[in-house]
Amino acid sequence: GQQVMQIPQYQHVQEGEDFTTYCNSSTTLSNIQWYKQRPGGHPVFLIQLVKSGEVKKQKRLTFQFGEAKKNSSLHITATQTTDVGTYFCARSNTGNQFYFGTGTSLTVIP
Amino acid sequence: EPEVTQTPSHQVTQMGQEVILRCVPISNHLYFYWYRQILGQKVEFLVSFYNNEISEKSEIFDDQFSVERPDGSNFTLKIRSTKLEDSAMYFCASILTPGLAGAYEQYFGPGTRLTVT
């Protein structure tokens, strides 16, 4: 019940193409966080979504929280080689325990 | 930019030995966390710590694990008798205040790679 599933597991794109990763939960989420982990690095917080239907943008990154608060997506427009890494979503109900998704590994081919 | 630090960066130990992983969270943060990540897999929550006591722990965090904040700056994870399957990257993280808008950003340290042989 606490698991969050992410798809796809891997994604290879040509530089300049768009990329989307999806995070799905069987139960309603109070919030969802997104992290990026570069190869060999540590997770870096990107954003937190709280409201139903919320959409937030960070430059070429667009984050959405579903109306039912059971899914979320991260979309990158016109990928660059600096976007390479694994993108994780994470759920937290209380703020004291976080469940990370399975991650989507993005490879950008120059 | 404030940062979480962890030492050592790499620890090699023999099965059955005790290890202590050290972390220095960001100085004004109140909530501290340990995670592990087996190579190529997802980040797994181990334990959260607030106000000098464990707040939440996962099923992974069994009696072999313990955490401590021995002074005002360090936050440690001890594994009493390491097993081969404990080999992983261990990340420490801290948050100022999870419920407060603008203060819930979780900062991760660079990690300690633990290798049990």
Side-chain angles (χ1 to χ4, degrees), chain A residues 3-4 9-10 33 35 37 40-45 47-50 56 88 94-103, chain B residues 31 33 35 37 41-45 47-48 50 55-59 89 91 95 98 104-111:
Chain A
Q3 296 293 327
V4 282
Q9 188 175 0
Y10 302 98
Q33 296 186 341
Y35 293 80
Q37 185 177 26
H42 58 276
V44 174
F45 175 90
I47 209 158
Q48 175 166 297
L49 304 174
V50 178
K56 287 189 177 180
F88 292 98
T94 65
N96 291 330
Q97 192 164 6
F98 290 84
Y99 297 92
F100 277 68
T102 46
Chain B
Y31 292 78
Y33 307 81
Y35 296 86
Q37 186 177 34
Q41 297 187 23
K42 68 178 180 181
V43 178
E44 297 177 291
F45 171 83
V47 66
S48 60
Y50 169 70
S55 180
E56 300 276 354
K57 60 182 181 180
S58 71
E59 57 275 9
M89 182 72 89
F91 292 108
I95 291 178
Y104 47 62
E105 182 171 339
Q106 188 166 201
Y107 289 81
F108 279 75

Side-chain angles (χ1 to χ4, degrees), chain A residues 37-104:
Chain A
Q37 185 177 26
R38 292 180 185 273
H42 58 276
V44 174
F45 175 90
L46 295 175
I47 209 158
Q48 175 166 297
L49 304 174
V50 178
K51 299 176 184 175
S52 168
E54 190 170 13
V55 177
K56 287 189 177 180
K57 293 193 175 186
Q58 291 178 352
K59 298 183 180 177
R60 293 178 296 105
L61 276 61
T62 302
F63 304 86
Q64 289 191 320
F65 203 7
E67 293 290 342
K69 299 181 75 173
K70 287 187 175 181
N71 57 74
S72 181
S73 66
L74 158 59
H75 179 83
I76 303 178
T77 304
T79 53
Q80 300 174 359
T81 54
T82 52
D83 295 326
V84 164
T86 301
Y87 292 84
F88 292 98
C89 62
R91 65 175 294 171
S92 165
N93 289 335
T94 65
N96 291 330
Q97 192 164 6
F98 290 84
Y99 297 92
F100 277 68
T102 46
T104 296

